[in-house]
């Protein structure tokens, strides 16, 4: 009789405490993910930044490119959007300024470089 009583009371309590522990562990890992972004996300943004920067350099070096000014402007806007994403991943504050502001772009690049980002 005592065995049946132990099984009926301890087994549900053990299962319930195990489920609560798993839920608590998930909350902790979610908080850790919020503080430390996925390194592969950062690597993807760095790769995309280097591709767009290389594309802009090639456009600026080619004086005969078709619709060169529009393509450079579009490339710079894409570069600025990737810089903002990189800043979000690195924890750098992005100031709300006009799109394409060269001083804001330079500040973001310096902050990212100081944090070890390369592209």
């Amino acid at each position: 009789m005592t065995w049946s009583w132990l099984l009926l009371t301890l087994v549900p309590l053990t299962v319930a405490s195990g489920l609560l522990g798993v839920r608590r562990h998930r909350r902790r890992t979610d908080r850790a993910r919020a503080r430390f972004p996925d390194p592969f996300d950062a690597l993807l943004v760095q790769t995309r930044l280097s591709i767009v920067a290389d594309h802009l350099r090639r456009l600026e070096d080619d004086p005969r490119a078709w619709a060169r000014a529009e393509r450079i402007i579009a490339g710079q806007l894409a570069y600025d959007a990737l810089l903002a994403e990189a800043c979000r991943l690195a924890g750098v504050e992005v100031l709300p300024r006009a799109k394409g502001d060269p001083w804001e772009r330079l500040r973001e690049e310096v902050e990212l470089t100081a944090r070890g980002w390369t592209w």
Side-chain angles (χ1 to χ4, degrees), residues 13 19 25 28 43 48 61 80-81 85 91 108:
L13 289 175
L19 290 176
H25 175 69
R28 272 187 253 134
L43 184 61
R48 290 167 60 196
D61 290 341
D80 290 341
E85 176 69 17
E108 291 172 0

Side-chain angles (χ1 to χ4, degrees), residues 60-74:
E60 289 171 353
D61 290 341
D62 186 11
R64 297 183 308 173
W66 181 75
R68 181 174 172 236
E70 287 82 6
R71 291 169 68 190
I72 287 175
I73 291 169

Side-chain angles (χ1 to χ4, degrees), residues 14-101:
T14 306
V15 170
S17 67
L19 290 176
L20 289 175
V22 169
R23 191 176 301 141
R24 233 179 288 128
H25 175 69
R26 283 186 188 151
R27 274 188 263 147
R28 272 187 253 134
T29 55
D30 290 343
R31 278 184 263 153
R33 271 191 214 118
R35 282 189 311 211
F36 304 109
D38 187 13
F40 292 109
D41 290 342
L43 184 61
L44 179 66
V45 171
Q46 285 178 338
T47 305
R48 290 167 60 196
L49 269 171
S50 65
I51 290 170
V52 172
D54 185 48
H55 176 69
L56 280 170
R57 277 187 225 106
R58 280 185 282 134
L59 275 175
E60 289 171 353
D61 290 341
D62 186 11
R64 297 183 308 173
W66 181 75
R68 181 174 172 236
E70 287 82 6
R71 291 169 68 190
I72 287 175
I73 291 169
Q76 285 176 341
L77 291 175
Y79 185 77
D80 290 341
L82 286 170
L83 269 180
E85 176 69 17
C87 288
R88 185 189 64 78
L89 289 172
V92 176
E93 180 185 3
V94 178
L95 300 177
R97 295 211 178 164
K99 290 182 179 179
D101 183 14

